[in-house]
Amino acid sequence: MQALHEPQTLAEDGELLDAYSSTVTRVAAELLGSVASLQLRNGRRAGGGSAVIVTPDGFLLTSAHVVARSADGGRASFVDGRELGFEVVGSDTHSDLAVLRAEAQDLVPAELGDAERLRVGQLVVAIGNPNGFAGSVTAGVISALGRSLPTQSGRVVDNVIQTDAALNPGNSGGALADGNGDVVGINTAVAGVGLGLAVPVNAATRQIVGALMTDGRFRRAYLGIAGGTRPLPPRLARRLDREAGVEIVQVVEGTPAAAAGLRPEDLIVELDGTPVAGVLDIQRLMVGERIGAKVPVRVLREGRELELELVPAELGD
């Protein structure tokens, strides 16, 4: 009788798999232990979601909407069988990110990557707990970049990742990883069949997460305008060595922009000495340090260049 073979190791199995399968299985093996399943009580309803471990001493990253009505926290389950209580340390509805703290000192954190390096068509792996099925893995590609995602606060998250990796309720707050196993996004929404969205992990995300861990909130400044990118007149484009600015479409009454004298059709080309070519450039500059500070803004109005001064206010939730 032929002896039964010992189970093959993952490395041995990898030789029998195609490159795609090998990458997915390797990423899954690396990350499954770093993604938790959340159980929450939202009023009288039980809720769930996923979270990514970011530090060994219990900090986890998830979606703000997952814990929106769970001020008392909940329980986090891990693939090693542990179930730990957690509390909500801080939540930022404007980015749909939240930080939790579990009662542990020896968790295995995921490696955070950089979504700015992603390319359309690149392989990604989603890990989470869809419909309560813990430790589920799906894979696909990045189908688009630069999408916008409206949040519960009414603010728009820019540069959202679109993927065809299958996402279902319960995946929110889970990891979207690249082929190296680095977490490049936090899964946040199911927009349709074969259409999932993830908040990108980048320098701005890291800044938000750091503030939530230390202060429990992320402070933002705001101007009170609505606008979009518009090409600069050729002569001004040559002189400033850039191609576009932000045209103001609306100025909200009673806001810092209105107090500074900004008007619809003004073309913003510089804010606090920094060139701006799109709304995202302005959002990046609206950090806590500029709240209440005098900020010069350079605009093009009816063919004339003007420099105005405004004082950004704090954006509330």
Side-chain angles (χ1 to χ4, degrees), residues 34-254:
S34 299
V35 178
S37 174
L38 304 181
Q39 296 86 42
L40 314 103
R41 295 296 301 184
N42 300 331
R44 294 184 178 180
R45 291 190 305 114
S50 306
V52 179
I53 302 169
V54 291
T55 68
D57 58 345
F59 282 104
L60 299 95
L61 179 60
T62 188
S63 300
H65 73 266
V66 169
V67 295
R69 292 180 295 276
S70 298
D72 295 333
R75 306 290 293 178
S77 302
F78 303 86
V79 294
D80 62 5
R82 283 187 293 177
E83 185 174 301
L84 305 172
F86 71 83
E87 62 179 359
V88 180
V89 174
S91 182
D92 181 53
T93 58
H94 302 303
S95 63
D96 196 25
L97 295 172
V99 169
L100 317 176
R101 185 73 182 272
E103 303 161 355
Q105 295 294 327
D106 58 350
L107 298 181
V108 179
E111 188 73 28
L112 298 184
D114 184 3
E116 300 299 324
R117 299 181 179 180
L118 296 176
R119 298 291 182 269
V120 173
Q122 185 173 337
L123 169 68
V124 284
V125 180
I127 299 178
N129 307 284
N131 299 313
F133 293 101
S136 294
V137 178
T138 58
V141 299
I142 294 172
S143 46
L145 293 167
R147 297 301 196 211
S148 295
L149 173 70
T151 64
Q152 292 180 341
S153 70
R155 187 180 175 90
V156 172
V157 179
D158 288 299
N159 282 348
V160 168
I161 303 165
Q162 178 184 321
T163 176
D164 67 353
L167 300 179
N168 291 285
N171 269 118
S172 288
L176 186 72
D178 63 15
N180 295 319
D182 297 336
V183 177
V184 292
I186 300 298
N187 299 318
T188 188
V190 180
V193 177
L195 179 59
L197 301 175
V199 173
V201 172
N202 51 29
T205 304
R206 292 170 187 269
Q207 187 179 25
I208 294 170
V209 173
L212 292 178
M213 291 172 65
T214 57
D215 303 324
R217 66 182 184 130
F218 182 73
R219 299 181 72 204
R220 283 185 178 80
Y222 85 102
L223 303 182
I225 62 171
T229 300
R230 195 188 88 182
L232 296 179
R235 183 178 299 178
L236 183 62
R238 287 193 298 270
R239 187 162 62 79
L240 297 179
D241 193 26
R242 69 188 78 123
E243 297 181 352
V246 175
E247 181 180 31
I248 298 176
V249 176
Q250 179 186 11
V251 177
V252 181
E253 292 185 11

